[in-house]
């Protein structure tokens, strides 16, 4: 069965600093990978997704992620963090074998200090 | 489009009462998902529908939980009787499957359920 691991429960970065959130997945076939963001009291919003093709994926709000098959990773990056980026970030893998099912990681809470 | 609509946004009830959560998916989407989010277990898929038909309900915790989708624009998640351990945020999401590709799931704002 597929699974997603986000090793960091909390990360704190200074405003303007770069950010990398880690995500590792376990999946037998070509994965469909997603990053979602959840602001306090809100639902989840899609940041970006990878289905195939270019392994560097650009998303909204200046985020990007790189798919590395050899490392089973899909890390999320941003070159310069803004205070408004403080939120919880979820990595997910989609399982086409079971239709449209997503399995989520536990999430990483990002704190931004000024 | 208004996005996925959930009601109520907050629900406080007493143990043993019936709770009904409602969801209106994005018009035209043919998949609907119910998730539960807790601190201990994170985001869990409870059940999902395709074209109003339940496809996978293996995530439904027990018989106290039931979900229906009587038409393409409405779904309910019912808990009867409710217990304090059901306290969580319940999300509804919808998506449109394009060919074989898993398309984006769009999430509603969630219903925060508190069972006293």
């Amino acid at each position: 069965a597929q699974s997603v691991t986000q090793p960091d429960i909390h990360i704190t970065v200074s405003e303007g600093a770069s950010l990398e959130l880690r995500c590792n997945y376990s999946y037998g076939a070509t994965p469909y990978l997603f990053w979602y963001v959840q602001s306090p009291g809100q639902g989840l919003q899609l940041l970006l997704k990878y289905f195939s093709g270019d392994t560097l994926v650009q998303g909204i709000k200046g985020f990007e992620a790189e798919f590395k098959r050899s490392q089973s990773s899909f890390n999320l990056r941003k070159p310069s963090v803004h205070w408004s980026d403080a939120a919880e970030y979820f990595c997910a893998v989609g399982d086409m074998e079971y239709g449209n099912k997503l399995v989520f990681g536990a999430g990483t809470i990002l704190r931004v200090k000024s | 489009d208004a996005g996925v609509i959930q009601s109520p946004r907050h629900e406080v009830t007493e143990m043993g009462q019936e709770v009904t959560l409602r969801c209106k998916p994005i018009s035209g989407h043919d998949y609907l998902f119910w998730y539960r989010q807790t601190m201990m277990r994170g985001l869990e898929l409870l059940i999902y529908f395709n074209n109003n038909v339940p496809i996978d309900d293996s995530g439904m915790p027990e018989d106290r939980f039931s979900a229906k989708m009587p038409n393409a624009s409405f779904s309910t998640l019912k808990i009867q009787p409710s217990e304090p351990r059901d306290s969580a945020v319940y999300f509804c999401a919808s998506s449109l499957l394009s060919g074989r590709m898993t398309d984006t799931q769009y999430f509603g704002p969630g219903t925060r359920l508190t069972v006293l």
Side-chain angles (χ1 to χ4, degrees), chain B residues 29-101:
Chain B
H29 282 191
D30 48 14
Y31 279 84
L32 184 139
F33 306 80
W34 282 102
Y35 291 89
R36 179 172 67 176
Q37 186 179 37
T38 61
M39 289 291 292
M40 292 300 296
R41 300 176 66 89
L43 264 165
E44 305 172 275
L45 177 66
L46 300 177
I47 184 171
Y48 76 95
F49 296 82
N50 178 216
N51 292 323
N52 313 336
V53 176
I55 302 301
D56 183 351
D57 65 355
S58 60
M60 296 285 262
E62 48 198 277
D63 292 345
R64 298 184 298 105
F65 285 70
S66 62
K68 294 182 180 179
M69 192 164 186
N71 58 62
S73 59
F74 183 66
S75 176
T76 59
L77 178 68
K78 186 176 292 187
I79 308 173
Q80 167 63 20
S82 59
E83 297 182 2
R85 60 193 168 118
D86 302 331
S87 298
V89 181
Y90 291 81
F91 288 103
C92 177
S94 70
S95 73
L96 181 64
L97 187 66
S98 176
R100 282 186 53 81
M101 295 182 68

Side-chain angles (χ1 to χ4, degrees), chain A residues 3-5 22-27 31 33 66-75 91:
Chain A
S3 65
V4 176
T5 301
R22 295 183 291 164
C23 172
N24 293 95
Y25 67 90
S26 172
Y27 188 66
L33 295 160
E66 186 170 13
F67 170 59
K68 293 185 177 179
R69 184 185 299 276
S70 62
Q71 298 177 19
S72 297
S73 69
F74 189 56
N75 294 348
C91 182

